[in-house]
Amino acid sequence: MTDDDFDRALLGAAFAMAAERGWSRVSIAEAARRADLPLARARTRFPARAVLLCKFGRLADQEALAFPPAEAPARERLFEILMRRIDVLQSHRDGVLALFRHLPFDPCAAAMLAAASLRSMSWILEGAGIEASGPRGKLRAKALLAVWLATVHAWRTDASEDLSATMAALDKALRRAEQIEGWIAGRRPAAAEQPGPPPAPLPPDEPFVPETAGPA
């Protein structure tokens, strides 16, 4: 079993456990036993519960970035990649929602995930062929983080099979971000075309998504 396969199996068991009894009662050892995985290897791969979030975020990014998007406008490329990332959350929906319910009571984890999510957005930009380095790239990553948070906020209450409400929220947020790209890049639009404010962040009690590894 490869490391990725091992991590996916243990993460699946951990999020299933979270769905049953809440994130605070997730045990890495018990998740390993449920998935019939060697405990010694689980100890090596997951030395602390926070690593569950790191690994989950990294695997989510790997899925999102696995296939380069087709030639299309930047907004459409970002839409495709971000929806792949939503699909990973959807595959563990009940467990991820349990994690989100826990995060307001764990400010250290929430702050850690905030920083990790911002780093993840730099990877998403690069995956879409958009430069994410330098001051301008940092602004773009922050704008894309607002897009992601608005999308996750919609996903949490989207009960449709095709995630139509989530896709609509993502498309709307990307269009707004596309409007402000003019001033991010130093090309302020004409007065008649001035955009509104960037997408508003989630309320303080809304959690961030699972942590991702930053760029190497």
Side-chain angles (χ1 to χ4, degrees):
M1 179 182 288
T2 67
D3 285 344
D4 274 1
D5 290 339
F6 184 95
D7 292 352
R8 290 175 192 277
L10 194 143
L11 285 165
F15 278 99
M17 190 183 305
E20 294 171 8
R21 61 193 195 187
W23 183 259
S24 64
R25 298 183 62 193
V26 169
S27 162
I28 294 172
E30 185 173 344
R33 286 191 288 267
R34 285 191 179 201
D36 197 22
L37 299 171
L39 196 59
R41 191 174 180 185
R43 172 65 179 84
T44 300
R45 299 289 299 165
F46 295 85
R49 195 170 59 179
V51 179
L52 289 168
L53 304 185
C54 298
K55 300 281 190 182
F56 184 67
R58 181 176 301 170
L59 291 173
D61 282 351
Q62 289 174 354
E63 291 291 334
L65 299 169
F67 302 100
E71 286 296 326
R75 173 170 49 80
E76 295 180 19
R77 298 197 302 271
L78 286 170
F79 181 94
E80 180 180 343
I81 294 174
L82 289 171
M83 278 307 302
R84 287 182 198 157
R85 204 164 192 272
I86 285 289
D87 287 342
V88 177
L89 270 63
Q90 181 70 7
S91 67
H92 301 282
R93 184 178 181 87
D94 291 342
V96 173
L97 291 177
L99 167 64
F100 285 175
R101 289 191 294 271
H102 166 80
L103 285 178
F105 306 99
D106 192 345
C108 291
M112 175 183 65
L113 295 178
S117 296
L118 183 59
R119 292 193 297 269
S120 183
M121 294 304 105
S122 294
W123 280 110
I124 299 300
L125 286 167
E126 293 289 355
I130 302 169
E131 186 177 359
S133 59
R136 185 178 298 171
K138 290 180 180 179
L139 285 174
R140 288 173 177 154
K142 288 180 180 179
L144 190 60
L145 179 59
V147 168
W148 173 250
L149 294 176
T151 305
V152 170
H153 187 56
W155 170 79
R156 292 181 66 182
T157 57
D158 187 355
S160 64
E161 291 188 5
D162 60 358
L163 297 180
S164 55
T166 303
M167 289 190 287
L170 174 56
D171 183 66
K172 180 180 179 180
L174 282 172
R175 289 180 185 276
R176 294 179 66 189
E178 188 177 44
Q179 286 182 316
I180 67 170
E181 169 63 14
W183 66 260
I184 290 175
R187 302 189 305 276
R188 186 172 294 280
E193 300 174 351
Q194 287 290 330
L202 298 182
D205 62 343
E206 293 291 351
F208 291 91
V209 296
E211 184 181 6
T212 62

